[in-house]
Amino acid sequence: MGVHFGWWDRDGNSLRSNPGKSLRSALVILSCRALGGSSHQALPAALAVEMAHNASLLHDDIIDNDRLRRGRASLWSAMGVPAAILAGDALFFGSVHALTGAPHADRTVPVLLSAVQTLIEGEYLDTLMEKDATATLDDALDMIAGKTAALLSCACSLGAILSGADDERVEPLGRFGLLLGLAFQCTDDVLGIWGDPESTGKPAMSDLRSRKLSVPIALAINESSQPGERLRALYRRKESPTEAECRTLAHELESHGVREAVVELARENAQEALAALNSCDPDPVTVEELAKLTKMILERSS
Ligand code: FPP
Ligand code: MG
C-alpha cells in the first residue's frame, strides 16, 4: 500500500511521491463543515472514502492493464497482480473498518457499501462497453455515474451524516456529490484524450488507445461526421489503433467541437451541483470552499 501511495519504493526506501489529490476526503470534510460539523468529526469517513477509492484504483489498473498511475509504475506492474489485488482488498476492508467504530456507523456503513456496489456495476459496464461502437451518450453517462460519481456522492453524504444532520439535509449534499462526480469524470475523459501525460501521470491518449467508451467518444461515435465514421471503423476492427491514428482522431474530434462539448457538459453539471447545495441551508463560508473546489475540478490538468 505504501508503494501505491508513493510513501516508499518497492525496496522500502522512503519517498515523497504524489499520493493523489485527496479530493474525496476533502469533500467529506467540507460536507461535514457545510452542515455545522467539524473537520475532526469527519475524519473516519475521510479515511474510509480515500481507502475505498484507492482500492478501486488498484483493481482498475489491473482491469485496464495500465502500467502508469500518478506518474509512476502502477502497483501491479511494480509488484505483481497478486500484491495489487490483495492491497486493494485490504484497503477496501480497511475502509469499512474505519466506519464501524465511528459515530453513526448504522447510517454510514450502508451508504459506503451501497456506493461500492454501484462502483463495481459501473466498472463492469465500462469493461462491457470497451470497443463497443453502438453505445450511446446515455450509456456512457450511466457508466460514469456508477464508476465515479457514486463515490463522490458517498463522500458528501458521509461527511453530512457525521455532522449529525438528519436525512433531509444529507440528501442535497449527496446530490451535489453525484453531479460534481459527473463533472469530474467528463473532465477526466477530456484529459484521457487530450491531457498532457506529464501532468496527468497517465499515458497519452490512453482512452483512445484502449478504445474505451468515454463521454467524448460516446458523443461522436453515433455521428455521421468524419471522426464519427473513423471511430466506428476503429472500434469495430480487430487490431488496436496505432499512435498516428490516435493522434489524427484526437485532432479531428477537437476540430469537430467534441472536446468543447464535453467541457460544456462538465460546466453544466458543476453548476447544477452548486445549485443543489443551497437547499440544505449550508454554512456560507464552506459553500465558498466547495465552489472553489468545483472550479478546480473543472480547470484541472491532472
Ligand atoms: C477509474 O476509471 C475507475 C474507477 C475509479 C472505479 C473502479 C471500480 C472498481 C475496480 C470496483 C470497486 C472495487 C473496490 C475494491 C472498491 P478509469 O479507468 O476511467 O480512470 P483512470 O484513467 O484513472 O484509470
Ligand atoms: Mg483505468
Side-chain angles (χ1 to χ4, degrees):
M1 285 182 221
V3 173
H4 166 70
F5 283 108
W7 297 334
W8 50 76
D9 66 18
R10 46 176 301 181
D11 299 319
N13 303 306
S14 275
L15 286 181
R16 274 184 180 272
S17 200
N18 171 14
K21 293 182 279 295
S22 304
L23 164 69
R24 289 152 189 84
S25 37
L27 283 173
V28 175
I29 290 169
L30 290 174
S31 300
C32 186
R33 296 217 309 241
L35 298 189
S38 67
S39 304
H40 186 76
Q41 275 172 284
L43 286 183
L47 181 62
V49 168
E50 205 53 38
M51 288 171 97
H53 169 57
N54 281 280
S56 78
L57 294 182
L58 287 169
H59 288 187
D60 177 68
D61 283 339
I62 298 170
I63 293 167
D64 290 348
N65 201 29
D66 275 342
R67 293 177 172 274
L68 206 61
R69 167 76 60 190
R70 296 173 182 157
R72 53 183 183 269
S74 56
L75 193 61
W76 73 266
S77 73
M79 299 188 69
V81 170
I85 291 177
L86 293 169
D89 292 345
L91 278 170
F92 173 61
F93 281 98
S95 78
V96 179
H97 202 209
L99 292 180
T100 50
H104 307 290
D106 57 326
R107 294 169 72 199
T108 55
V109 173
V111 170
L112 178 70
L113 293 181
S114 144
V116 171
Q117 177 66 34
T118 309
L119 222 64
I120 293 168
E121 288 165 12
E123 179 78 346
Y124 187 54
L125 279 180
D126 195 357
T127 65
L128 291 181
M129 286 195 257
E130 224 171 82
K131 306 183 189 72
D132 182 348
T134 62
T136 64
L137 179 62
D138 281 347
D139 292 331
L141 293 176
D142 279 351
M143 183 258 289
I144 69 170
K147 81 168 178 180
T148 303
L151 196 59
L152 271 74
S153 174
C154 166
C156 297
S157 302
L158 292 182
I161 293 172
L162 287 187
S163 78
D166 58 26
D167 287 344
E168 209 177 307
R169 291 184 79 211
V170 170
E171 199 273 334
L173 273 152
R175 178 144 181 79
F176 164 74
L178 187 75
L179 291 160
L180 190 67
L182 294 176
F184 177 89
Q185 189 61 44
C186 284
T187 309
D188 212 62
D189 285 356
V190 167
L191 295 174
I193 297 180
W194 296 283
D196 173 4
E198 283 289 318
S199 320
T200 62
K202 300 177 195 173
M205 300 179 292
S206 53
D207 287 354
L208 277 184
R209 222 171 318 115
S210 50
R211 290 180 281 178
K212 282 210 163 208
L213 186 89
S214 61
V215 174
I217 300 301
L219 262 179
I221 205 161
N222 296 301
E223 297 281 306
S224 54
S225 61
Q226 193 180 353
E229 275 165 30
R230 205 189 283 277
L231 270 174
R232 282 193 293 281
L234 207 79
Y235 273 53
R236 283 194 181 120
R237 82 176 194 209
K238 213 160 147 253
E239 309 82 47
S240 304
T242 63
E243 193 71 22
E245 283 175 322
C246 290
R247 250 198 310 273
T248 308
L249 245 175
H251 181 73
E252 277 184 6
L253 287 167
E254 184 159 14
S255 3
H256 276 76
V258 174
R259 178 178 183 163
E260 191 43 43
V262 182
V263 168
E264 183 51 33
L265 194 59
R267 267 191 227 120
E268 285 167 15
N269 277 295
Q271 253 167 23
E272 257 191 76
L274 290 171
L277 261 186
N278 291 322
S279 56
C280 61
D281 188 24
D283 165 50
V285 176
T286 313
V287 169
E288 268 180 45
E289 296 291 321
L290 285 167
K292 270 191 225 158
L293 198 70
T294 303
K295 191 163 178 282
M296 276 168 59
I297 284 177
L298 292 178
E299 292 173 359
R300 74 201 171 96
S301 57
S302 65

